[in-house]
Amino acid sequence: VMRLSAQADYAVRAVFELARHEPGAVLHTGDIAAAQRIPGARLAKVIHDLARADLVRTQRGPQGGVMLARPAGEISVRDVYEAVEGPILLCRCRQRVEPCTDDGCDTHDFWYGVETLLTEELQTTTFAALARAR
């Protein structure tokens, strides 16, 4: 079963929640968790990964919380996915350093094509577009 991981799902939902608000809005993690039904402990890890990738910023203190590090129109779903999961690699041959010699290479062109379509769609879909579509 090919499935989106919980971490990637939570990351996309967290950034979506931030994108739904006015630019520069600072949201408490508890509000993000409640609005998107994300367990608080899992959200903390996701926010850490997103901050490390410079997609969100965090502020401490009573007025603290989380905000987008750049406009929602400049953050793609691919950016968020790869911040928590790493590069999208459906083609096993690309995961190797040495030339591929196993039977899986017979389907290389197919998997590379699927990977290309997927990454292009995720790259061209921004959170501003997702927020508008809602």
Side-chain angles (χ1 to χ4, degrees):
V1 173
M2 186 179 284
R3 177 181 312 189
L4 183 66
S5 74
Q7 283 295 102
D9 181 41
Y10 295 154
V12 168
R13 287 164 43 196
V15 174
F16 173 78
E17 186 62 27
L18 291 165
R20 287 182 28 183
H21 293 80
E22 67 276 356
V26 178
L27 301 180
H28 292 282
T29 55
D31 294 336
I32 296 169
Q36 291 296 323
R37 296 186 183 104
I38 302 171
R42 300 290 296 274
L43 181 59
K45 166 75 168 104
V46 164
I47 295 297
H48 175 77
D49 290 344
L50 293 171
R52 194 175 62 232
D54 200 31
L55 297 172
V56 301
R57 290 197 180 106
T58 59
Q59 297 178 353
R60 295 183 185 265
Q63 302 303 316
V66 183
M67 65 186 290
L68 294 178
R70 55 185 190 253
E74 295 177 15
I75 300 174
S76 72
V77 175
R78 181 181 180 182
D79 295 333
V80 171
Y81 178 90
E82 290 186 343
V84 297
E85 294 294 331
I88 298 167
L89 293 172
L90 297 180
C91 184
R92 290 181 49 217
C93 300
R94 291 191 48 226
Q95 298 174 31
R96 301 167 183 248
V97 175
E98 74 277 358
C100 181
T101 57
D102 69 20
D103 293 336
C105 290
D106 292 340
T107 58
H108 168 85
D109 290 344
F110 169 75
W111 286 115
Y112 183 73
V114 172
E115 180 183 305
T116 300
L117 289 171
L118 176 62
T119 55
E120 285 176 1
E121 182 67 22
L122 295 177
Q123 183 64 45
T124 59
T125 304
T126 67
F127 281 87
L130 289 178
R132 277 193 308 270
R134 184 180 186 276

